[in-house]
Amino acid sequence: MSAETPQRAVSNGAPDNEEDTFEKDLNEMLQDAPSLNDSCSTVQSGSPRKIATAAAAPPTTFNSNPADSSHTRPYTGPPEQEATSNIPLSSPQSNGDFVPKGSVTQTAVSKIDTIRSWSLNTYKCTRQLLSEKFGKGSRTVDLELETQIEALRETQRKYCNILRLARSLTNHFYYVVQTQKALGESFSELAAKSPDLQEEFTYNSETQRTLSRNGEVLLGAMNFFTSSVNTLCNKTMEDTLLTIKQYENARLEYDAYRNDLEFAQMGPRDSNSIPKVEDAKTKFEEHKQKYESLRADVAIKLNFLEENKVKVMHKQLLLFHNAVSAYFSGNETALDATLKQFNIKLKTANSSKPSWIEQ
């Protein structure tokens, strides 16, 4: 029993000696390693420094049991790296100001000037319009031109009424023609099924078919009439009225700047008022030129419109009269001659659209 105890003590003492050796090596490595302050300065300055030296390298092998050499494992330390940093230590200086490009600045300034000019012009025109409505402001009046404009508007109202009635007549007459056609077909069927009344049904059927055929010819003339009157009212006259509207707006601007010029000239003459008077005079001349130009355009268009209206309505009224008279008098030859006279081609149900060469 006494012999076993020393052997157990020796076997337990071997690991203690190994642990003491490992702690001794670890202390030597920590003593030889650079201090923490040196490491921090190395990272901040970016200069390469080696973390560990060859003398302070840890043991390459670690054996927990020296009696068994088969369990020895190699220990490889971390590779030597250069402690460098790519982060810039100084931040770029910026005062936070945004300097736009020259073209962007120029565009913004031009837009602001346009908005300012439009707002000022709108204000002056609105003030002039309200002063005219309440009878406190003066306006430029061309009596002859104003009379012609009012006559044109009255003419358009009357012609639009004629157009409305002509369309209504055409629609109603279309249903009359369709009814006559259906009635003629019914008479024809009854003539085939009623031998006793075959003759009576037959000539009534032929009469209704003739009326429906002539009615389709009259419908062609009426459609041509309504189409021409519609073009005259809603295109030709409307174009002239659009120019008249532009002329009235120019007249309003002209009077607004004329009143501004008169008001500026009534004030005292000093170094501050003279530039304002000159600016008002320049703008007044610009709007005066625009007003006179549009007034001349309106006068020319009114004359052309009157001549065109006479030519168009002379032709259309003659067509309408001849076609209606020939239809209700039963003169089929005169009705066909009327359509040929005015070059009106009827569209049949089986007619195809003309090719692009014929158009």
Side-chain angles (χ1 to χ4, degrees), residues 29 32-34 39 49-58 77-81:
M29 181 182 67
D32 295 336
S39 300
R49 294 286 301 275
K50 293 184 179 180
I51 299 177
T53 60
E80 296 182 357
Q81 297 179 353

Side-chain angles (χ1 to χ4, degrees), residues 23-222:
E23 290 179 358
K24 183 178 179 181
D25 294 338
L26 181 61
N27 290 330
E28 291 178 356
M29 181 182 67
L30 293 177
Q31 290 176 1
D32 295 336
S35 63
L36 184 60
N37 294 331
D38 294 339
S39 300
C40 294
S41 62
T42 301
V43 174
Q44 292 177 359
S45 61
S47 60
R49 294 286 301 275
K50 293 184 179 180
I51 299 177
T53 60
T60 58
T61 60
F62 177 77
N63 188 3
S64 60
N65 190 2
D68 189 4
S69 60
S70 62
H71 295 284
T72 302
R73 293 182 299 174
Y75 174 78
T76 304
E80 296 182 357
Q81 297 179 353
E82 296 181 354
T84 59
S85 175
N86 295 327
I87 301 176
L89 300 180
S90 60
S91 60
Q93 299 294 330
S94 175
N95 53 6
D97 295 335
F98 174 74
V99 181
K101 296 182 179 180
S103 59
V104 177
T105 306
Q106 186 177 2
T107 304
V109 171
S110 63
K111 288 183 178 180
I112 293 174
D113 292 339
T114 302
I115 295 174
R116 184 186 296 110
S117 177
W118 175 83
S119 302
L120 183 61
N121 185 69
T122 304
Y123 164 73
K124 291 183 178 181
C125 293
T126 305
R127 183 183 61 185
Q128 176 66 23
L129 181 62
L130 292 177
S131 63
E132 292 178 3
K133 292 290 184 181
F134 291 106
K136 296 182 179 180
S138 60
R139 63 187 299 265
T140 304
V141 179
D142 190 339
L143 294 178
E144 183 179 359
L145 193 61
E146 293 291 337
T147 303
Q148 293 179 359
I149 292 173
E150 187 61 30
L152 173 60
R153 287 172 175 163
E154 183 66 22
T155 301
Q156 188 191 32
R157 285 193 291 268
K158 292 180 178 180
Y159 275 57
C160 287
N161 186 41
I162 291 175
L163 177 62
R164 180 181 60 83
L165 295 175
R167 283 176 173 173
S168 178
L169 177 62
T170 303
N171 292 333
H172 289 304
F173 190 72
Y174 170 79
Y175 291 112
V176 170
V177 172
Q178 298 301 317
T179 304
Q180 289 175 343
K181 185 182 295 186
L183 187 60
E185 293 176 356
S186 298
F187 284 156
S188 179
E189 292 178 359
L190 289 173
K193 296 180 180 180
S194 302
D196 297 338
L197 299 174
Q198 184 176 8
E199 184 178 356
E200 289 80 1
F201 278 127
T202 300
Y203 64 69
N204 275 281
S205 174
E206 292 176 355
T207 301
Q208 295 300 321
R209 287 178 178 177
T210 302
L211 289 174
S212 64
R213 184 171 58 253
N214 293 338
E216 290 178 353
V217 177
L218 179 59
L219 277 175
M222 295 174 69

